[in-house]
């Protein structure tokens, strides 16, 4: 049974709109973001020099970075959730995402979140569902997929899915509960999907390395073709 079939239409809508993301402490309890110490360090790691330069250029240096989770916490959160996952479990799961990069300016925001995917790796995102329009899917390689498009709320979002096998989990885990990265951008005004997906891929490489995936997924630096 795939995770998609375990979710009600209402739950699916929440997942697709990215509303289920939150931070958690080491016991999985929700908590407020930590104090703004070393602000931007997770963003720096995720986006790299090119991504940070793009973000600064597009916001005129007026954006306000906010402290969130770090890669160590994101790894711990991901491992704990997939280690508790079982292929025969029933009922909707509520996975938590780590809020790794967040910056705001005016009424806009830019954020990148990572966590376990509610959907299996081969989910047909290019087909419209009851709760979401069809999305554009870019098959990067056997371990990486990119998905982008307008959600039901009218916002464009960018997602990356990476098969990431964690030691000690069931064999199905890497395909049934891959890594999901979600980028939301209502801040920069940049409408170029390839630009966003290139920066998202950079972050996925950083995250896959940090999460210590035993299958060693290959995450390239750029999408294979220019998405539309």
């Amino acid at each position: 049974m795939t995770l998609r079939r375990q979710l009600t239409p209402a739950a699916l809508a929440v997942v697709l709109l990215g509303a289920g993301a939150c931070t958690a402490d080491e016991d999985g309890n929700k908590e407020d973001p930590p104090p703004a110490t070393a602000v931007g360090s997770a963003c720096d790691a995720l986006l790299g020099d090119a991504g940070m330069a793009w973000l600064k250029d597009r916001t005129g240096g007026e954006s306000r970075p906010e402290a969130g989770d770090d890669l160590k916490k994101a790894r711990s959160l991901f491992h704990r959730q997939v280690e508790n996952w079982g292929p025969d479990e029933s009922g909707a799961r509520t996975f938590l995402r780590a809020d790794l990069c967040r910056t705001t300016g005016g009424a806009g925001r830019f954020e990148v979140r990572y966590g376990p995917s509610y959907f299996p790796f081969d989910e047909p995102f290019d087909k419209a569902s009851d709760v979401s329009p069809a999305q554009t899917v870019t098959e990067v390689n056997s371990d990486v997929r990119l998905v982008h498009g307008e959600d039901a709320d009218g916002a464009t979002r960018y997602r990356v899915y990476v098969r990431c096998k964690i030691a000690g989990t069931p064999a199905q885990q890497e395909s049934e509960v891959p890594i999901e990265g979600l980028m939301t951008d209502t801040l920069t005004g940049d409408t170029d999907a390839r630009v966003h997906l290139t920066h998202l891929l950079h972050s996925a490489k950083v995250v896959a390395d940090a999460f210590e995936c035993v299958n060693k997924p290959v995450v390239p630096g750029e999408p294979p073709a220019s998405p539309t």
Side-chain angles (χ1 to χ4, degrees):
M1 178 181 291
T2 67
L3 295 179
R4 178 178 63 86
R5 296 194 183 100
Q6 296 170 10
L7 294 172
T8 65
L12 276 169
V14 170
V15 172
L16 289 169
L17 297 181
C22 58
T23 60
D25 64 19
E26 291 302 313
D27 295 318
N29 301 314
K30 294 178 184 178
E31 65 176 7
D32 294 329
T37 56
V39 170
S41 59
C43 277
D44 292 338
L46 286 180
L47 299 180
D49 292 342
M52 291 301 292
W54 165 77
L55 190 58
K56 182 178 180 180
D57 178 67
R58 294 296 305 188
T59 60
E62 297 299 322
S63 61
R64 299 186 302 274
E66 302 171 11
D69 299 316
D70 58 25
L71 285 167
K72 181 179 179 181
K73 186 167 188 175
R75 176 190 179 280
S76 176
L77 184 61
F78 182 81
H79 277 237
R80 184 167 63 251
Q81 293 180 95
V82 299
E83 286 165 357
N84 290 331
W85 175 83
D88 298 323
E89 66 185 26
S90 61
R93 293 301 306 271
T94 305
F95 289 134
L96 303 178
R97 297 189 185 106
D99 192 354
L100 290 171
C101 181
R102 183 174 65 247
T103 182
T104 59
R109 66 189 171 101
F110 175 88
E111 60 187 8
V112 182
R113 292 170 168 168
Y114 272 91
S117 172
Y118 287 83
F119 302 100
F121 184 80
D122 59 357
E123 179 73 14
F125 291 108
D126 55 347
K127 302 184 186 310
S129 71
D130 293 339
V131 295
S132 176
Q135 307 283 297
T136 299
V137 178
T138 303
E139 305 289 354
V140 178
N141 57 38
S142 61
D143 288 324
V144 183
R145 301 178 89 198
L146 293 167
V147 178
H148 76 281
E150 187 176 286
D151 277 332
D153 65 346
T156 298
R157 293 183 173 88
Y158 309 88
R159 296 177 174 89
V160 60
Y161 295 88
V162 182
R163 292 186 202 263
C164 177
K165 179 67 169 68
I166 299 303
T169 62
Q172 304 98 314
Q173 177 265 307
E174 68 178 275
S175 293
E176 288 296 311
V177 194
I179 293 172
E180 181 193 51
L182 172 65
M183 177 184 286
T184 302
D185 178 16
T186 59
L187 178 65
T188 70
D190 196 332
T191 59
D192 189 333
R194 185 174 181 84
V195 169
H196 287 89
L197 294 176
T198 297
H199 296 314
L200 188 58
L201 271 177
H202 186 282
S203 72
K205 166 65 173 171
V206 172
V207 168
D209 288 346
F211 283 12
E212 300 178 351
C213 310
V214 298
N215 57 314
K216 304 295 184 184
V218 176
V219 184
E222 294 186 354
S226 180
T228 58

